[in-house]
Amino acid sequence: MRALVWHGKEDIRCDTVTDPEIEQPRDAIVKVTSCAICGSDLHLFHNFIPAMLPGDIMGHEMMGEVVEVGPEARHKLKVGDRVVVPFTIICGQCDQCKRGNFSVCEATNRKKYLADKVFGHPTAGLFGYTHLTGGYPGGQAEYLRVPFADATHIKVPDGIPDEKVLFLGDIFPTGWQAAVQCDIQPTDTVAIWGCGPVGQMAIRSAVLLGAKQVVAIDHLPERLEMAEAGGAITINFDEESVVERLNELTGGLGPEKCIDAIGMEAHVSPSMPDTVYDRAKQMVGAESDRPHVLREMIYVCRPAGVISIPGVYGGLVDKIPMGQLMNKGLTIRTGQTHVNRWTDDLLRRIEEGQIDPSFVITHSVSLEEGPEMYKVFRDKQDSCIKVVLKP
Amino acid sequence: MTYSISNIARSKGDPKVLHSGPSSLGAADRLARALGWYSIGLGLAELFAAKRITRALGMEGKEALVRAYGVRELGHGIVSLSPDKHLGLWSRVAGDGLDIATLMTAMRHDNPKRDNVGIALAAVLGVTLLDIIGAQGVTARHSRPHGRPRSYRDRTGFPQGVQAARGAARDFKVPPDMRAVPTLAAVSDRAPQEKAQEKARPH
Ligand SMILES: [Zn+2]
Ligand SMILES: [Zn+2]
């Protein structure tokens, strides 16, 4: 089959690879009908996340049709079922899964020995990601083996286009969880850094959950325009001071809730000297992530507020103002998304017409064009915000 | 090759690469990578073999300068190999200028190693040409073209419109483990803050 394969820094190729097979009784094989490139794939593209190996198949946002089911998954899945595959692999039976903390499932990371060393304890297995999270082959491919398939799936009805439900596997629940863990009150200002795909979903989620005002921060005009379309007040950080404008919008109090939809690769600009410092340290390996957004959020957030971090961080950050964080009594909530905790409710909201996540798609291409689209998406060329691939 | 090595870390049933297709790396990216590694190699040589270099060029006494250039060269290399490679290559072009100027000072008639200096100059000029081609190439390949971005004005994501969407999911119950700061709601309800926020109406 064909698949997008990681060969090294900025080197992703559309290769011919062997087909996946059922390995465990709980496995299923899915024929992928749609998959997407995610912002976090770009961290892998830049080799900023440790423990990728040449030959790894990319992709963790995918859906398709079940074509083969292992004997122990047959009570939940059958050939022909239409499923979205969540990016977190879950067993559905461990303590964490029972609590709904699916992204830290204790049973699905098959490289536990690696994760134990680096994270202290393992987190869930993830598709198309580093070997720290199991090194499972991803879904930017024609076929995908889904381990623990009896739990790791979201069934979707026929008759609703792929584009409307594909993002149930990652970015929609990710933006939703980012907003939910802010515990939004009708009096709240929710400030969202980053108007990429997750930021766009977080904006819509905060609007649906009834925030008083949603403020979106970016500097790319097309992304700000999409944010505004979704009901956000926008701040272009190339043109105005984020801190000043947020204070102005909140009567000098600061936003109660702040969401970091940027993560480890904050934009670098001489007008934000800390980003240049971080970039230099990152280049020589003295720091793995550029936490400009964290610093700004901690500074501007209203005391006793919440900082929600769906943005991906990889390792070590520097100059985090713990003094401000502690004295202001801020709450930090973060984590990979507990996808299946939210998807039944979100699928219903899509079906009822409350939201249509397909608004974010700007490019739809074949799998062969995938490698070039990584470049286009990374360089933000052609007003690219979200790429869907059709294997 | 590298796959067979990395396949050792791979589970038995995981798909293996049979043959490779087109890459996300363009020709300019590959040139940038080669020049980046060249910078690292040259930098290390200047740093650790400064004496031999100055002797070969009849520039005895300039070892400290050559070592400093070595450090500079390593910097060019690291940036050229990073995603910000255009900065690395343009910095290499500037560095080439500095190298040429320095070598010109050794092109004196009384320098017995004048021939070597000539060869070094020719080599630097050649590399400068590659640097310029590479720098222009990666800049063109990775920059956002000017001109009007596509319009996403109608991409609300809400089939019933933004107004209908505001608060439409208030039926959602935040699970107890994700409730944040219950006191904040009470605090936010107090009048002085509302007054303050009224002053700063959004546009
Ligand atoms: Zn993703
Ligand atoms: Zn589990």
Side-chain angles (χ1 to χ4, degrees), chain A residues 7 9-12 15-16 18 54 56 110 183 204 207-208 212 222 225 248 253 279 341 356 359 361 379-381 383, chain B residues 3 6 10-11 14 16 18-19 21 23-24 81 84-85 141-142 144 150 152-153 155-157 169 177 180 193 197 200:
Chain A
H7 285 261
K9 184 159 44 172
E10 295 178 88
D11 187 358
I12 283 172
D15 290 349
T16 305
T18 54
D56 286 346
R110 61 179 177 176
D183 193 6
R204 270 68 178 178
V207 166
L208 285 171
K212 177 172 158 233
E222 67 276 15
E225 196 178 56
E248 208 178 286
L253 297 169
R279 186 72 191 96
R341 190 166 180 180
D356 175 1
F359 75 91
I361 302 170
D379 295 330
K380 302 173 176 88
Q381 293 169 334
S383 305
Chain B
Y3 315 125
S6 70
R10 219 169 284 288
S11 297
D14 288 354
K16 315 269 190 307
L18 296 172
H19 48 90
S23 163
S24 52
L81 291 171
D84 300 317
K85 46 190 157 321
R141 182 167 162 77
H142 297 291
R144 260 164 76 86
R150 281 157 63 180
Y152 298 138
R153 190 159 318 187
R155 303 261 188 144
T156 64
D177 63 314
Q193 187 228 339
Q197 284 184 338

Short mmCIF file of all heavy atoms in Angstrom, two decimals, chain A residues 7 9-12 15-16 18 54 56 110 183 204 207-208 212 222 225 248 253 279 341 356 359 361 379-381 383, chain B residues 3 6 10-11 14 16 18-19 21 23-24 81 84-85 141-142 144 150 152-153 155-157 169 177 180 193 197 200:
data_model
loop_
_atom_site.label_atom_id
_atom_site.label_comp_id
_atom_site.label_asym_id
_atom_site.label_seq_id
_atom_site.Cartn_x
_atom_site.Cartn_y
_atom_site.Cartn_z
N HIS A 7 11.26 10.08 7.00
CA HIS A 7 12.62 9.60 6.72
C HIS A 7 13.67 10.42 7.45
O HIS A 7 14.86 10.11 7.39
CB HIS A 7 12.90 9.65 5.22
CG HIS A 7 12.21 8.56 4.46
ND1 HIS A 7 12.83 7.41 4.06
CD2 HIS A 7 10.92 8.44 4.05
CE1 HIS A 7 11.97 6.62 3.43
NE2 HIS A 7 10.79 7.23 3.40
N LYS A 9 14.47 14.69 9.27
CA LYS A 9 14.01 16.07 9.39
C LYS A 9 13.53 16.62 8.05
O LYS A 9 14.28 16.59 7.07
CB LYS A 9 15.16 16.93 9.94
CG LYS A 9 14.73 18.35 10.17
CD LYS A 9 15.56 19.14 11.14
CE LYS A 9 17.05 19.07 11.07
NZ LYS A 9 17.72 20.02 11.93
N GLU A 10 12.30 17.09 8.00
CA GLU A 10 11.69 17.69 6.81
C GLU A 10 11.66 16.77 5.59
O GLU A 10 11.55 17.23 4.47
CB GLU A 10 12.40 19.01 6.44
CG GLU A 10 12.24 20.08 7.48
CD GLU A 10 12.98 21.36 7.12
OE1 GLU A 10 12.38 22.18 6.45
OE2 GLU A 10 14.15 21.51 7.51
N ASP A 11 11.80 15.49 5.84
CA ASP A 11 11.86 14.52 4.73
C ASP A 11 10.74 13.50 4.90
O ASP A 11 10.90 12.48 5.57
CB ASP A 11 13.24 13.85 4.72
CG ASP A 11 13.43 12.96 3.49
OD1 ASP A 11 12.49 12.84 2.68
OD2 ASP A 11 14.52 12.39 3.36
N ILE A 12 9.58 13.80 4.31
CA ILE A 12 8.46 12.86 4.34
C ILE A 12 8.21 12.44 2.90
O ILE A 12 8.23 13.27 1.99
CB ILE A 12 7.23 13.51 4.99
CG1 ILE A 12 7.46 13.50 6.51
CG2 ILE A 12 5.94 12.78 4.63
CD1 ILE A 12 6.46 14.25 7.31
N ASP A 15 5.64 6.59 0.12
CA ASP A 15 6.32 5.33 -0.17
C ASP A 15 5.33 4.20 -0.40
O ASP A 15 4.17 4.28 -0.01
CB ASP A 15 7.20 4.92 1.02
CG ASP A 15 8.41 5.83 1.19
OD1 ASP A 15 8.68 6.63 0.27
OD2 ASP A 15 9.08 5.74 2.23
N THR A 16 5.86 3.14 -1.03
CA THR A 16 5.10 1.89 -1.06
C THR A 16 5.61 1.03 0.09
O THR A 16 6.81 0.83 0.24
CB THR A 16 5.32 1.16 -2.39
OG1 THR A 16 4.98 2.07 -3.44
CG2 THR A 16 4.47 -0.08 -2.49
N THR A 18 4.64 -2.43 3.01
CA THR A 18 3.86 -3.66 3.16
C THR A 18 2.53 -3.34 3.83
O THR A 18 2.42 -2.38 4.58
CB THR A 18 4.62 -4.69 4.01
OG1 THR A 18 4.99 -4.07 5.25
CG2 THR A 18 5.88 -5.16 3.30
N PRO A 54 13.45 6.54 11.06
CA PRO A 54 13.19 6.49 9.62
C PRO A 54 12.35 5.25 9.30
O PRO A 54 12.63 4.17 9.82
CB PRO A 54 14.60 6.35 9.01
CG PRO A 54 15.52 6.87 10.06
CD PRO A 54 14.89 6.56 11.38
N ASP A 56 8.97 5.34 9.88
CA ASP A 56 7.71 5.49 10.63
C ASP A 56 6.63 6.09 9.73
O ASP A 56 6.87 7.08 9.03
CB ASP A 56 7.89 6.40 11.85
CG ASP A 56 8.68 5.73 12.98
OD1 ASP A 56 8.83 4.50 12.93
OD2 ASP A 56 9.12 6.44 13.89
N ARG A 110 2.96 0.35 23.84
CA ARG A 110 3.74 -0.89 23.77
C ARG A 110 5.23 -0.63 23.96
O ARG A 110 6.02 -1.56 23.95
CB ARG A 110 3.48 -1.59 22.43
CG ARG A 110 3.87 -0.75 21.22
CD ARG A 110 3.61 -1.50 19.91
NE ARG A 110 3.94 -0.64 18.79
CZ ARG A 110 3.89 -1.01 17.53
NH1 ARG A 110 3.51 -2.24 17.22
NH2 ARG A 110 4.21 -0.18 16.56
N ASP A 183 -13.85 25.56 32.15
CA ASP A 183 -15.08 25.72 32.94
C ASP A 183 -15.68 27.10 32.69
O ASP A 183 -15.82 27.93 33.59
CB ASP A 183 -14.76 25.51 34.43
CG ASP A 183 -16.03 25.33 35.27
OD1 ASP A 183 -17.12 25.27 34.68
OD2 ASP A 183 -15.91 25.27 36.50
N ARG A 204 -14.67 28.03 18.33
CA ARG A 204 -16.07 27.62 18.16
C ARG A 204 -16.60 27.00 19.46
O ARG A 204 -17.75 27.21 19.83
CB ARG A 204 -16.21 26.61 17.01
CG ARG A 204 -16.46 27.22 15.63
CD ARG A 204 -15.30 27.98 15.13
NE ARG A 204 -15.40 28.57 13.80
CZ ARG A 204 -14.40 29.29 13.30
NH1 ARG A 204 -13.29 29.49 14.00
NH2 ARG A 204 -14.51 29.84 12.10
N VAL A 207 -17.36 29.65 22.02
CA VAL A 207 -18.58 30.37 21.64
C VAL A 207 -19.80 29.53 22.01
O VAL A 207 -20.74 30.01 22.64
CB VAL A 207 -18.56 30.71 20.13
CG1 VAL A 207 -19.94 31.13 19.65
CG2 VAL A 207 -17.53 31.80 19.84
N LEU A 208 -19.77 28.23 21.64
CA LEU A 208 -20.91 27.35 21.93
C LEU A 208 -21.14 27.23 23.44
O LEU A 208 -22.27 27.17 23.91
CB LEU A 208 -20.66 25.95 21.36
CG LEU A 208 -20.80 25.79 19.84
CD1 LEU A 208 -20.31 24.41 19.41
CD2 LEU A 208 -22.25 25.98 19.41
N LYS A 212 -18.53 35.08 27.46
CA LYS A 212 -18.97 36.45 27.22
C LYS A 212 -18.30 37.00 25.97
O LYS A 212 -18.94 37.58 25.10
CB LYS A 212 -18.61 37.31 28.42
CG LYS A 212 -18.98 38.77 28.23
CD LYS A 212 -18.79 39.54 29.52
CE LYS A 212 -18.63 41.00 29.22
NZ LYS A 212 -17.43 41.57 29.82
N GLU A 222 -5.40 35.50 6.97
CA GLU A 222 -6.46 34.57 6.59
C GLU A 222 -6.96 33.79 7.82
O GLU A 222 -8.13 33.45 7.94
CB GLU A 222 -6.01 33.63 5.47
CG GLU A 222 -4.92 32.63 5.80
CD GLU A 222 -3.49 33.20 5.68
OE1 GLU A 222 -3.35 34.44 5.61
OE2 GLU A 222 -2.53 32.40 5.66
N GLU A 225 -9.08 36.05 9.88
CA GLU A 225 -10.39 36.23 9.24
C GLU A 225 -11.31 35.05 9.56
O GLU A 225 -12.51 35.22 9.83
CB GLU A 225 -10.22 36.38 7.73
CG GLU A 225 -11.45 36.94 7.06
CD GLU A 225 -11.26 37.13 5.57
OE1 GLU A 225 -10.91 36.15 4.87
OE2 GLU A 225 -11.46 38.26 5.09
N GLU A 248 -7.35 45.94 27.72
CA GLU A 248 -8.35 46.89 27.27
C GLU A 248 -9.72 46.21 27.15
O GLU A 248 -10.75 46.76 27.54
CB GLU A 248 -7.89 47.35 25.89
CG GLU A 248 -8.30 48.72 25.45
CD GLU A 248 -7.68 48.94 24.07
OE1 GLU A 248 -6.45 49.15 24.02
OE2 GLU A 248 -8.42 48.86 23.07
N LEU A 253 -8.67 43.91 33.77
CA LEU A 253 -8.61 42.78 34.69
C LEU A 253 -7.86 41.58 34.13
O LEU A 253 -7.37 40.75 34.87
CB LEU A 253 -10.03 42.34 35.06
CG LEU A 253 -10.86 43.39 35.80
CD1 LEU A 253 -12.32 42.97 35.88
CD2 LEU A 253 -10.29 43.60 37.20
N ARG A 279 14.72 30.40 20.31
CA ARG A 279 15.10 29.76 19.05
C ARG A 279 16.59 29.44 19.04
O ARG A 279 17.02 28.38 18.58
CB ARG A 279 14.77 30.69 17.87
CG ARG A 279 14.99 30.06 16.50
CD ARG A 279 13.93 29.02 16.21
NE ARG A 279 14.24 28.20 15.03
CZ ARG A 279 14.82 27.01 15.10
NH1 ARG A 279 15.19 26.51 16.26
NH2 ARG A 279 15.03 26.30 14.01
N ARG A 341 -14.05 10.54 25.31
CA ARG A 341 -14.88 11.07 26.38
C ARG A 341 -15.91 12.06 25.83
O ARG A 341 -16.96 12.30 26.43
CB ARG A 341 -13.98 11.77 27.39
CG ARG A 341 -14.65 12.16 28.65
CD ARG A 341 -13.62 12.52 29.69
NE ARG A 341 -14.26 12.91 30.93
CZ ARG A 341 -13.58 13.29 32.01
NH1 ARG A 341 -12.26 13.27 31.99
NH2 ARG A 341 -14.21 13.64 33.09
N ASP A 356 -20.42 22.59 12.21
CA ASP A 356 -19.94 21.79 11.08
C ASP A 356 -18.43 21.99 10.97
O ASP A 356 -17.97 22.98 10.40
CB ASP A 356 -20.64 22.24 9.80
CG ASP A 356 -20.09 21.52 8.57
OD1 ASP A 356 -19.17 20.67 8.74
OD2 ASP A 356 -20.56 21.81 7.45
N PHE A 359 -15.60 23.45 8.14
CA PHE A 359 -15.26 24.83 7.75
C PHE A 359 -13.76 25.07 7.68
O PHE A 359 -13.27 25.95 6.99
CB PHE A 359 -15.88 25.83 8.75
CG PHE A 359 -15.15 25.89 10.07
CD1 PHE A 359 -14.11 26.80 10.24
CD2 PHE A 359 -15.45 25.01 11.10
CE1 PHE A 359 -13.40 26.84 11.46
CE2 PHE A 359 -14.75 25.04 12.31
CZ PHE A 359 -13.72 25.96 12.47
N ILE A 361 -11.33 23.13 6.57
CA ILE A 361 -10.56 22.52 5.48
C ILE A 361 -10.29 23.55 4.38
O ILE A 361 -11.22 24.15 3.84
CB ILE A 361 -11.33 21.32 4.87
CG1 ILE A 361 -11.63 20.28 5.93
CG2 ILE A 361 -10.54 20.70 3.71
CD1 ILE A 361 -12.58 19.18 5.48
N ASP A 379 4.90 26.11 5.68
CA ASP A 379 5.26 27.47 5.26
C ASP A 379 4.04 28.39 5.17
O ASP A 379 4.18 29.55 4.79
CB ASP A 379 6.00 27.42 3.91
CG ASP A 379 7.33 26.69 4.03
OD1 ASP A 379 7.93 26.75 5.12
OD2 ASP A 379 7.77 26.07 3.04
N LYS A 380 2.87 27.87 5.49
CA LYS A 380 1.62 28.63 5.47
C LYS A 380 1.41 29.32 4.13
O LYS A 380 0.97 30.46 4.03
CB LYS A 380 1.60 29.64 6.62
CG LYS A 380 1.77 28.92 7.96
CD LYS A 380 1.92 29.85 9.13
CE LYS A 380 1.98 29.08 10.44
NZ LYS A 380 3.34 28.65 10.82
N GLN A 381 1.76 28.58 3.07
CA GLN A 381 1.59 29.11 1.72
C GLN A 381 0.15 28.87 1.28
O GLN A 381 -0.54 28.01 1.84
CB GLN A 381 2.57 28.42 0.76
CG GLN A 381 4.03 28.79 1.07
CD GLN A 381 5.04 27.92 0.33
OE1 GLN A 381 4.76 26.79 -0.04
NE2 GLN A 381 6.24 28.45 0.13
N SER A 383 -2.55 30.30 1.76
CA SER A 383 -3.55 30.45 2.83
C SER A 383 -3.97 29.12 3.44
O SER A 383 -5.13 28.92 3.80
CB SER A 383 -4.80 31.18 2.30
OG SER A 383 -4.43 32.41 1.73
N TYR B 3 16.62 1.87 7.19
CA TYR B 3 15.35 1.23 7.56
C TYR B 3 15.59 -0.08 8.26
O TYR B 3 14.96 -0.41 9.23
CB TYR B 3 14.48 0.96 6.34
CG TYR B 3 14.42 2.10 5.40
CD1 TYR B 3 14.75 1.95 4.07
CD2 TYR B 3 14.06 3.36 5.87
CE1 TYR B 3 14.71 3.02 3.22
CE2 TYR B 3 14.02 4.43 5.01
CZ TYR B 3 14.35 4.26 3.69
OH TYR B 3 14.31 5.32 2.86
N SER B 6 16.43 0.67 11.73
CA SER B 6 15.30 1.13 12.54
C SER B 6 14.23 0.04 12.61
O SER B 6 13.42 0.04 13.53
CB SER B 6 14.73 2.43 12.00
OG SER B 6 14.08 2.22 10.78
N ARG B 10 11.18 -1.92 15.43
CA ARG B 10 9.80 -1.95 14.96
C ARG B 10 9.16 -3.30 15.30
O ARG B 10 9.85 -4.31 15.38
CB ARG B 10 9.82 -1.78 13.44
CG ARG B 10 8.73 -0.93 12.89
CD ARG B 10 9.02 -0.62 11.44
NE ARG B 10 10.08 0.38 11.32
CZ ARG B 10 9.89 1.65 11.61
NH1 ARG B 10 8.73 2.09 12.01
NH2 ARG B 10 10.88 2.51 11.51
N SER B 11 7.86 -3.29 15.51
CA SER B 11 7.19 -4.56 15.79
C SER B 11 7.08 -5.37 14.51
O SER B 11 7.09 -4.82 13.41
CB SER B 11 5.82 -4.30 16.38
OG SER B 11 5.95 -3.63 17.60
N ASP B 14 4.48 -4.43 11.75
CA ASP B 14 4.39 -3.06 11.24
C ASP B 14 4.82 -2.99 9.77
O ASP B 14 5.76 -3.67 9.38
CB ASP B 14 5.28 -2.12 12.06
CG ASP B 14 4.73 -1.86 13.45
OD1 ASP B 14 3.61 -2.32 13.72
OD2 ASP B 14 5.44 -1.23 14.25
N LYS B 16 6.64 -2.21 6.40
CA LYS B 16 8.04 -1.86 6.11
C LYS B 16 8.11 -1.20 4.72
O LYS B 16 7.33 -1.55 3.82
CB LYS B 16 8.90 -3.13 6.07
CG LYS B 16 8.66 -4.11 7.20
CD LYS B 16 9.57 -3.84 8.37
CE LYS B 16 9.54 -4.93 9.42
NZ LYS B 16 8.19 -5.27 9.92
N LEU B 18 8.96 -0.62 1.10
CA LEU B 18 9.39 -1.45 -0.03
C LEU B 18 10.16 -0.59 -1.03
O LEU B 18 11.25 -0.91 -1.43
CB LEU B 18 8.18 -2.10 -0.72
CG LEU B 18 7.40 -3.10 0.15
CD1 LEU B 18 6.13 -3.55 -0.53
CD2 LEU B 18 8.29 -4.30 0.50
N HIS B 19 9.53 0.50 -1.49
CA HIS B 19 10.32 1.50 -2.20
C HIS B 19 9.80 2.91 -1.97
O HIS B 19 8.64 3.12 -1.65
CB HIS B 19 10.51 1.18 -3.69
CG HIS B 19 9.26 0.80 -4.38
ND1 HIS B 19 8.45 1.71 -4.98
CD2 HIS B 19 8.68 -0.41 -4.56
CE1 HIS B 19 7.42 1.08 -5.50
NE2 HIS B 19 7.53 -0.20 -5.26
N GLY B 21 9.07 6.98 -2.49
CA GLY B 21 8.50 7.88 -3.48
C GLY B 21 9.03 9.30 -3.32
O GLY B 21 10.02 9.52 -2.65
N SER B 23 9.78 13.07 -2.22
CA SER B 23 10.01 13.59 -0.87
C SER B 23 9.55 15.03 -0.73
O SER B 23 9.41 15.76 -1.71
CB SER B 23 11.50 13.49 -0.56
OG SER B 23 11.83 14.30 0.55
N SER B 24 9.33 15.43 0.51
CA SER B 24 9.00 16.84 0.79
C SER B 24 10.23 17.73 0.68
O SER B 24 10.12 18.94 0.68
CB SER B 24 8.41 16.95 2.20
OG SER B 24 9.27 16.32 3.14
N LEU B 81 21.13 23.90 8.90
CA LEU B 81 20.53 22.57 9.02
C LEU B 81 19.19 22.61 9.75
O LEU B 81 18.50 21.61 9.84
CB LEU B 81 21.49 21.63 9.77
CG LEU B 81 22.77 21.27 9.02
CD1 LEU B 81 23.74 20.52 9.92
CD2 LEU B 81 22.47 20.44 7.78
N ASP B 84 15.05 26.95 9.83
CA ASP B 84 15.28 28.34 9.39
C ASP B 84 16.49 28.42 8.46
O ASP B 84 17.32 29.32 8.57
CB ASP B 84 15.50 29.25 10.61
CG ASP B 84 14.31 29.25 11.54
OD1 ASP B 84 13.18 29.30 11.03
OD2 ASP B 84 14.51 29.16 12.76
N LYS B 85 16.57 27.47 7.52
CA LYS B 85 17.79 27.35 6.73
C LYS B 85 18.09 28.56 5.86
O LYS B 85 19.24 28.85 5.58
CB LYS B 85 17.77 26.08 5.88
CG LYS B 85 16.48 25.83 5.13
CD LYS B 85 16.57 24.43 4.57
CE LYS B 85 15.25 23.77 4.25
NZ LYS B 85 14.13 23.96 5.14
N ARG B 141 11.47 28.91 -2.23
CA ARG B 141 10.66 27.72 -2.00
C ARG B 141 9.79 27.84 -0.75
O ARG B 141 8.69 27.31 -0.70
CB ARG B 141 11.58 26.50 -1.88
CG ARG B 141 10.86 25.18 -1.68
CD ARG B 141 11.77 23.98 -1.88
NE ARG B 141 11.22 22.78 -1.29
CZ ARG B 141 10.24 22.05 -1.81
NH1 ARG B 141 9.71 22.42 -2.96
NH2 ARG B 141 9.79 20.98 -1.20
N HIS B 142 10.29 28.53 0.26
CA HIS B 142 9.59 28.50 1.54
C HIS B 142 8.91 29.79 1.96
O HIS B 142 8.31 29.86 3.02
CB HIS B 142 10.54 28.04 2.65
CG HIS B 142 11.03 26.64 2.43
ND1 HIS B 142 10.20 25.54 2.54
CD2 HIS B 142 12.26 26.16 2.08
CE1 HIS B 142 10.90 24.45 2.27
NE2 HIS B 142 12.14 24.79 1.98
N ARG B 144 6.15 32.88 1.94
CA ARG B 144 4.74 33.08 1.60
C ARG B 144 4.67 34.08 0.47
O ARG B 144 5.13 35.21 0.63
CB ARG B 144 4.02 33.68 2.81
CG ARG B 144 3.24 32.69 3.64
CD ARG B 144 2.93 33.29 4.98
NE ARG B 144 1.83 34.27 4.95
CZ ARG B 144 0.55 33.96 5.05
NH1 ARG B 144 0.18 32.71 5.13
NH2 ARG B 144 -0.39 34.90 5.06
N ARG B 150 -6.44 34.08 0.56
CA ARG B 150 -7.82 33.67 0.26
C ARG B 150 -8.75 34.18 1.36
O ARG B 150 -8.33 34.37 2.49
CB ARG B 150 -7.88 32.15 0.19
CG ARG B 150 -7.36 31.62 -1.13
CD ARG B 150 -6.90 30.19 -1.03
NE ARG B 150 -7.98 29.27 -0.69
CZ ARG B 150 -7.79 27.94 -0.56
NH1 ARG B 150 -6.60 27.43 -0.73
NH2 ARG B 150 -8.79 27.16 -0.26
N TYR B 152 -11.67 33.85 4.02
CA TYR B 152 -12.40 32.85 4.80
C TYR B 152 -13.52 33.51 5.60
O TYR B 152 -13.91 33.04 6.66
CB TYR B 152 -11.43 32.10 5.71
CG TYR B 152 -10.37 31.32 4.95
CD1 TYR B 152 -9.05 31.32 5.37
CD2 TYR B 152 -10.70 30.60 3.81
CE1 TYR B 152 -8.08 30.61 4.67
CE2 TYR B 152 -9.74 29.90 3.10
CZ TYR B 152 -8.43 29.91 3.53
OH TYR B 152 -7.47 29.21 2.84
N ARG B 153 -14.00 34.62 5.10
CA ARG B 153 -15.00 35.41 5.80
C ARG B 153 -16.28 34.62 6.09
O ARG B 153 -16.94 34.84 7.09
CB ARG B 153 -15.35 36.63 4.92
CG ARG B 153 -16.19 37.67 5.60
CD ARG B 153 -16.02 38.96 4.86
NE ARG B 153 -14.60 39.14 4.50
CZ ARG B 153 -14.11 40.22 3.97
NH1 ARG B 153 -14.89 41.22 3.69
NH2 ARG B 153 -12.83 40.32 3.68
N ARG B 155 -16.49 31.38 6.59
CA ARG B 155 -16.24 30.07 7.23
C ARG B 155 -16.60 30.12 8.71
O ARG B 155 -15.74 30.04 9.58
CB ARG B 155 -14.76 29.72 7.08
CG ARG B 155 -14.28 29.69 5.64
CD ARG B 155 -14.24 28.26 5.17
NE ARG B 155 -13.61 28.15 3.85
CZ ARG B 155 -12.86 27.11 3.53
NH1 ARG B 155 -12.58 26.17 4.39
NH2 ARG B 155 -12.36 27.03 2.31
N THR B 156 -17.87 30.27 9.02
CA THR B 156 -18.26 30.40 10.43
C THR B 156 -18.12 29.07 11.16
O THR B 156 -17.75 29.04 12.32
CB THR B 156 -19.73 30.84 10.56
OG1 THR B 156 -20.55 29.80 10.03
CG2 THR B 156 -19.99 32.13 9.82
N GLY B 157 -18.44 27.97 10.48
CA GLY B 157 -18.48 26.68 11.16
C GLY B 157 -19.82 26.43 11.86
O GLY B 157 -20.05 25.37 12.40
N ALA B 169 -24.41 25.50 23.45
CA ALA B 169 -24.03 24.26 24.14
C ALA B 169 -24.05 24.44 25.66
O ALA B 169 -23.37 23.72 26.38
CB ALA B 169 -22.66 23.79 23.67
N ASP B 177 -14.46 16.66 37.45
CA ASP B 177 -12.99 16.74 37.50
C ASP B 177 -12.45 17.87 36.64
O ASP B 177 -11.26 18.14 36.65
CB ASP B 177 -12.37 15.40 37.07
CG ASP B 177 -12.68 15.04 35.63
OD1 ASP B 177 -13.86 15.16 35.23
OD2 ASP B 177 -11.76 14.65 34.89
N ALA B 180 -13.35 24.28 37.31
CA ALA B 180 -12.12 25.00 37.58
C ALA B 180 -12.17 25.75 38.90
O ALA B 180 -11.70 25.27 39.92
CB ALA B 180 -11.83 25.95 36.43
N GLN B 193 -16.77 45.09 38.51
CA GLN B 193 -16.10 44.53 37.35
C GLN B 193 -16.93 44.73 36.09
O GLN B 193 -16.41 45.04 35.02
CB GLN B 193 -15.85 43.04 37.57
CG GLN B 193 -15.02 42.42 36.47
CD GLN B 193 -15.62 41.14 35.94
OE1 GLN B 193 -16.42 40.50 36.60
NE2 GLN B 193 -15.24 40.79 34.74
N GLN B 197 -15.79 46.54 32.75
CA GLN B 197 -15.77 45.89 31.45
C GLN B 197 -16.63 46.65 30.44
O GLN B 197 -16.37 46.61 29.25
CB GLN B 197 -16.24 44.45 31.57
CG GLN B 197 -15.13 43.59 32.18
CD GLN B 197 -15.49 42.12 32.25
OE1 GLN B 197 -16.66 41.77 32.23
NE2 GLN B 197 -14.49 41.27 32.31
N ALA B 200 -14.71 49.14 28.51
CA ALA B 200 -13.83 48.62 27.46
C ALA B 200 -14.62 47.72 26.51
O ALA B 200 -14.29 46.58 26.29
CB ALA B 200 -12.69 47.84 28.10
#
